[in-house]
Amino acid sequence: MIANRLPVLRAERRWSQAELADRINVSRQTVGSLESGRYEPTLRVAMRLSAVFDVPLEDIFTPDPEDIALIRIE
C-alpha cells in the first residue's frame, strides 16, 4: 500500500473531500478511498493531485518499503 499525505494537504488548504474531488475531477468517494488507502491512484489522478497541491508526487505519496525492496538495480 502506498501511504499518502492527502488528508494533511487537504486540511492545510481547508478543502473538503468534495472540494478536492471537484478540483481533480473525481468523486468524493474516490478522495475518501485515496485518503484511507483503500484505493491507489492512477498515474493520471496522482499527477492531478501533484498539480492541485503544487508539490512533487514524492511529497504526497510514500511507497511501501516492501515494494521498493523488489527493485533490481543490476
Side-chain angles (χ1 to χ4, degrees):
M1 177 169 65
I2 298 174
N4 69 70
R5 296 184 57 238
L6 291 176
V8 172
L9 293 168
R10 185 174 57 76
E12 288 174 353
R13 287 154 182 82
R14 296 190 171 116
W15 294 344
S16 66
Q17 287 184 342
E19 187 171 1
L20 175 56
D22 186 55
R23 290 174 183 263
I24 62 169
N25 198 36
V26 298
S27 70
R28 189 216 47 84
Q29 291 83 359
T30 296
V31 170
S33 293
L34 287 167
E35 288 186 353
S36 69
R38 288 189 310 263
Y39 170 71
E40 292 185 359
T42 62
L43 182 55
R44 179 171 288 173
V45 170
M47 295 190 76
R48 289 178 192 169
L49 289 164
S50 176
V52 77
F53 289 122
D54 194 29
V55 297
L57 288 173
E58 296 84 4
D59 288 355
I60 302 173
F61 301 101
T62 304
D64 183 334
E66 291 180 15
D67 285 339
I68 297 299
L70 298 174
I71 295 173
R72 293 181 186 209
I73 307 221
E74 310 158 351

